[in-house]
Amino acid sequence: MQSSLSTDRLLLRPWATGDADFVYDMYSRWEVQRYLGRVPRVLPDLAEALAMIERWKGLDDPVHGIWAIERTQDRQLVGTLLLKSIPASGELPLVPSGDTEIGWHLHPDFWGQGYATEAASTVLEMALASGLEQVVAVTNPANTASAQVCRRIGLDHAGQTDRYYNTTCELFVTSPG
Ligand SMILES: CC(C)(COP(=O)(O)OP(=O)(O)OC[C@H]1O[C@@H](n2cnc3c(N)ncnc32)[C@H](O)[C@@H]1OP(=O)(O)O)[C@@H](O)C(=O)NCCC(=O)NCCS
């Protein structure tokens, strides 16, 4: 069972079936999906949102997680924080690279308030304290907002890579040691 984490303004908790309307609302928006995956697509219906939540709930790992980000003051959901295995480029189906990636998806109503940075800093700190030696983040080269989050949480830009997801990404990594 994935544990919850708290920050000054946010609670990171496991996703629940009752969150499906929010998940559908967020992932059916092109401005959220446009830089995600090799061939971005919006979520077509609520059934897929429910299926995503079921997959996320099934993730059973002591450190990795896919958290719902909830604003503490009013319990408003604002997005997703991910710490997960990143697939290596190669033949389909893609297999794990052995590296761990951190990622963030926020509903556009909640951009520009520092929530992604706040949630990601806490998860990164937890990941490193749990013994992970390195965490990576990959962003579409056009996704400057996400690259800024990487820099704000202290990741180093390591140029471009085609090592993951069969696509070319900007690579950000935790500093050695
Ligand atoms: C990437 C994404 C999460 C960035 O969201 P964001 O809100 O810009 O990121 P942050 O949480 O770091 O917020 C930073 C902004 O909040 C502002 N801010 C306001 N209050 C703040 C506070 N208390 N603390 C920190 N920043 C604050 C900052 O000035 C900055 O604004 P700016 O971009 O105008 O300079 C968002 O664009 C998104 O979800 N995109 C779609 C999904 C996506 O592409 N994900 C990444 C895949 S690699």
Side-chain angles (χ1 to χ4, degrees):
M1 172 72 179
Q2 194 179 304
S3 53
S4 298
L5 296 165
S6 294
T7 73
D8 284 350
R9 296 178 293 173
L10 306 168
L11 173 70
L12 278 61
R13 59 154 176 85
W15 285 100
T17 308
D19 301 325
D21 284 342
F22 175 84
V23 168
Y24 176 54
D25 182 21
M26 181 166 73
Y27 288 104
S28 60
R29 293 167 186 256
W30 181 244
E31 68 264 49
V32 172
Q33 295 288 63
R34 64 190 156 161
Y35 299 129
L36 305 187
R38 206 168 69 85
V39 185
R41 65 188 266 277
V42 297
L43 204 65
D45 53 39
L46 193 60
E48 273 209 34
L50 279 162
M52 280 169 74
I53 290 173
E54 287 311 307
R55 282 201 303 278
W56 293 340
K57 280 162 63 179
L59 187 72
D60 186 19
D61 186 281
V63 181
H64 289 179
I66 299 183
W67 290 268
I69 311 172
E70 193 178 278
R71 191 163 56 189
T72 315
Q73 65 175 36
D74 56 2
R75 306 208 55 193
Q76 170 66 53
L77 283 167
V78 302
T80 308
L81 205 295
L82 310 94
L83 185 74
K84 62 185 245 329
S85 166
I86 183 170
S89 294
E91 302 268 312
L92 297 177
L94 300 184
V95 298
S97 61
D99 296 337
T100 294
E101 77 168 318
I102 188 168
W104 33 76
H105 310 145
L106 258 65
H107 189 294
D109 287 356
F110 307 105
W111 293 359
Q113 299 178 60
Y115 293 147
T117 294
E118 186 170 317
S121 300
T122 293
V123 166
L124 185 59
E125 200 177 303
M126 178 279 292
L128 298 175
S130 302
L132 285 181
E133 285 180 8
Q134 192 193 48
V135 175
V136 307
V138 292
T139 66
N140 181 304
N143 195 349
T144 50
S146 192
Q148 280 294 91
V149 178
C150 293
R151 292 192 180 91
R152 285 189 197 104
I153 66 170
L155 300 182
D156 297 327
H157 186 218
Q160 293 194 335
T161 183
D162 55 9
R163 205 180 297 158
Y164 309 111
Y165 289 116
N166 282 345
T167 190
T168 301
C169 306
E170 301 296 337
L171 174 65
F172 294 84
V173 296
T174 43
S175 308

